[in-house]
Amino acid sequence: IGPGVRTSSPTRRHGVSMRRFALLACLAVALLHAFVVQVSVVRGHSMEPSLCDGDRLVVDRVSPTLAGVARFDVVILGNPRDPSVDYVKRVAALPGDVVALHDGELWIDGRRIEQDFAPIADHAEFEPLIVPAGHVFVLGDNRPISCDSREFGLVPVGLLRGTVRARFWPIERVAVF
């Protein structure tokens, strides 16, 4: 090698490749967070006893768009009155369902629906309503204090931000949904 010709040392090349790897890893994490998975923190008591204030959740942001939601999925949604505020609620009725509440019990298409979770009941009445295409009806599990579709109305599916897949904190309440 003659004078004035520079070569890069293995250490220098390694440093550049590590920086490139770190940059690509950060970009991948940012893209996953933006489009695939997010972490949400529960604020408030409207989903007790299923979810409590401060619980940390893993939210699947893809499935509501690609596969839709199912009855009793726990979802993150933009508040229909102020979409900049996120809520966590449970999908109670789907498009085409006739939803009603009688003495706090959920009725779909004229049949009382058994729930495999334990909502805090109230004695609310909600007259039958047909859920139109492109909308869902959501309820909080702590029905006496929940601000949900009984108050703000049906939720356009475009406001569904994701489906809750797991609670990872607090550690003693880790669960998969």
Side-chain angles (χ1 to χ4, degrees), residues 34-172:
F35 299 108
V36 181
V37 176
Q38 78 179 45
V39 172
S40 288
V41 179
V42 176
R43 296 285 176 229
H45 304 279
S46 72
M47 285 298 290
E48 289 178 352
S50 301
L51 299 173
C52 297
D53 187 53
D55 284 357
R56 291 345 188 238
L57 310 173
V58 175
V59 180
D60 166 5
R61 296 182 66 165
V62 176
S63 64
T65 304
L66 295 180
V69 293
R71 184 176 337 283
F72 300 138
D73 278 355
V74 177
V75 296
I76 304 295
L77 61 114
N79 177 346
R81 293 181 180 162
D82 181 1
S84 69
V85 176
D86 284 350
Y87 281 175
V88 59
K89 301 294 175 196
R90 192 176 297 274
V91 175
L94 301 165
D97 288 345
V98 177
V99 61
L101 292 170
H102 299 297
D103 196 30
E105 297 286 334
L106 177 64
W107 291 71
I108 302 290
D109 297 332
R111 293 186 308 271
R112 190 173 76 75
I113 301 297
E114 290 295 324
Q115 300 166 56
D116 60 354
F117 55 96
I120 297 174
D122 61 7
H123 297 285
E125 295 291 324
F126 188 86
E127 293 301 313
L129 171 74
I130 298 172
V131 180
H135 292 78
V136 293
F137 184 92
V138 298
L139 292 169
D141 288 358
N142 189 350
R143 307 270 164 83
I145 68 163
S146 180
C147 174
D148 49 40
S149 285
R150 298 171 295 172
E151 185 174 324
F152 53 66
L154 298 167
V155 177
V157 295
L159 288 180
L160 299 180
R161 310 253 199 261
T163 303
V164 174
R165 296 298 180 196
R167 173 181 42 235
F168 67 91
W169 191 262
I171 199 77
E172 64 273 6

